[in-house]
């Protein structure tokens, strides 16, 4: 890994969420001195995100970032997250982050690994035969969002609010759904971010896992990106479950992100 690749991983993450925010019905993008906001203003907390604009060295700077983000999100009445790159804070400060964020309602959640591949490695095993369709209409977008909602234990209407948005998967973004035995089984989206193919929304229903379904739809998405945009370098942020799949495909780890989640405020 290198400082440049750590910076790239942060930029790709932030810019892809800015893309989702800009293409949502009521999204907002805001760059403050303390924190950058990329919020789709939807019910799915993960899509209402705050990011550090640069590395920080002090508790005061980290607390100001959380406070500025909370000041933005609290009046919205939405849940939200703060994504913290562990290489952008010293180890002593990283250990204190949860305590510093707690007064703003943030709790530790997922840890994701930022990964990069200059190009994909050849498949290591035969991949399943699937029908892969581009999510170009409401049916396709709904199938893509439903697969993700079911995998992340999110109500289906919440996922559709975020991703069944006309025009979301067009131009610099393409969404794909893999169908197996007539069922929407797996999904992936690819977004062109600064001439890099950013992979997002990779999910596979439990009954179709361990078969290579995610790899199949990802390879299809990246082949389409290469044909349409002429780019092969690809970045993603992996959940622990996805790490072995991505390593087999030729991705390597660059850094890690700690997600801190805040629930929506209670009403009444």
């Amino acid at each position: 890994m290198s400082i440049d690749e750590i910076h790239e991983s942060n930029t790709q993450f932030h810019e892809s969420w800015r893309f989702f925010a800009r293409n949502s019905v009521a999204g907002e993008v805001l760059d403050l001195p303390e924190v950058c906001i990329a919020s789709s203003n939807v019910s799915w907390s993960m899509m209402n995100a705050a990011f550090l604009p640069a590395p920080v060295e002090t508790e005061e700077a980290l607390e100001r970032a959380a406070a500025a983000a909370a000041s933005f999100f609290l009046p919205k009445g939405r849940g939200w997250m703060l994504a913290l790159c562990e290489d952008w804070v010293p180890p002593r400060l990283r250990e204190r982050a949860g305590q510093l964020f707690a007064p703003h309602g943030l709790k530790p959640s997922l840890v994701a690994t930022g990964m990069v591949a200059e190009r994909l490695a050849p498949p290591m095993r035969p991949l399943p035969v699937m029908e892969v369709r581009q999510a170009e209409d409401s049916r396709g977008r709904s199938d893509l969002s439903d697969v993700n909602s079911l995998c992340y234990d999110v109500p289906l209407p919440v996922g559709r609010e975020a991703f069944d948005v006309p025009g979301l998967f067009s131009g610099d973004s393409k969404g794909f759904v893999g169908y197996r035995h007539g069922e929407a089984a797996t999904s992936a989206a690819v977004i062109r971010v600064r001439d890099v193919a950013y992979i997002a929304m990779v999910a596979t229903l439990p009954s179709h896992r361990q078969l290579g379904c995610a790899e199949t739809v990802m390879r299809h998405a990246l082949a389409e990106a290469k044909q349409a945009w002429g780019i092969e370098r690809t970045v993603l942020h992996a959940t622990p479950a996805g790490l072995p799949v991505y390593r087999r495909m030729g991705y390597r780890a660059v850094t890690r992100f700690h997600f801190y989640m805040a629930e929506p405020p209670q009403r009444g």
Side-chain angles (χ1 to χ4, degrees):
M1 74 183 69
S2 68
I3 293 176
D4 287 343
E5 287 182 332
I6 292 169
H7 177 77
E8 177 188 49
S9 193
N10 277 273
T11 299
Q12 289 285 314
F13 197 177
H14 183 199
E15 289 295 332
S16 61
W17 255 242
R18 288 166 73 102
F19 176 88
F20 284 124
R22 288 188 175 121
N23 285 277
S24 66
V25 174
E28 294 178 83
V29 171
L30 182 64
D31 293 322
L32 301 173
E34 305 88 358
V35 71
C36 297
I37 304 293
S39 177
S40 294
N41 284 330
V42 293
S43 301
W44 197 334
S45 300
M46 190 173 289
M47 301 311 299
N48 307 322
F51 302 87
L52 294 180
V56 299
E57 295 291 337
T58 66
E59 288 189 7
E60 292 75 15
L62 193 57
E63 201 284 328
R64 284 198 300 270
S71 294
F72 172 85
F73 284 112
L74 189 60
K76 308 288 184 184
R78 302 284 194 184
W80 58 286
M81 79 166 184
L82 192 154
L84 181 67
C85 176
E86 64 179 34
D87 286 302
W88 273 16
V89 294
R92 56 175 175 77
L93 185 53
R94 192 188 315 152
E95 294 173 0
R96 290 265 297 147
Q99 184 176 349
L100 294 172
F101 294 163
H104 303 291
L106 291 163
K107 297 180 181 179
S109 181
L110 182 68
V111 177
T113 301
M115 308 185 82
V116 62
E118 283 74 24
R119 61 188 57 82
L120 296 185
M124 298 180 67
R125 59 176 177 171
L127 297 176
V129 176
M130 303 178 64
E131 180 186 5
V132 180
R133 303 178 199 161
Q134 191 165 346
E136 297 180 295
D137 56 16
S138 183
R139 170 63 187 275
R141 293 191 301 268
S142 293
D143 285 347
L144 187 149
S145 65
D146 288 355
V147 169
N148 277 263
S149 296
L150 291 167
C151 290
Y152 286 97
D153 196 25
V154 171
L156 298 188
V158 171
R160 292 185 181 188
E161 178 194 17
F163 299 119
D164 184 10
V165 180
L168 179 60
F169 299 115
S170 62
D172 283 340
S173 175
K174 300 178 184 294
F176 298 90
V177 180
Y179 296 84
R180 184 168 177 265
H181 303 322
E183 179 183 25
T186 186
S187 71
V190 59
I191 306 169
R192 183 177 182 173
V193 180
R194 301 191 181 187
D195 287 329
V196 173
Y198 183 82
I199 285 285
M201 301 186 71
V202 179
T204 303
L205 297 183
S207 58
H208 301 281
R209 291 176 185 169
Q210 307 299 319
L211 300 171
C213 294
E215 182 173 347
T216 298
V217 74
M218 282 180 62
R219 286 184 180 276
H220 185 99
L222 289 168
E224 290 287 327
K226 181 180 178 181
Q227 181 176 357
W229 306 324
I231 55 179
E232 286 189 274
R233 185 176 178 87
T234 169
V235 167
L236 55 76
H237 293 85
T239 64
L243 274 172
V245 176
Y246 305 137
R247 287 194 176 111
R248 287 197 301 268
M249 294 178 68
Y251 286 89
R252 53 186 172 81
V254 170
T255 187
R256 294 202 308 170
F257 291 79
H258 297 254
F259 296 177
Y260 295 84
M261 309 295 296
E263 296 297 324
Q266 297 294 322
R267 300 182 182 275

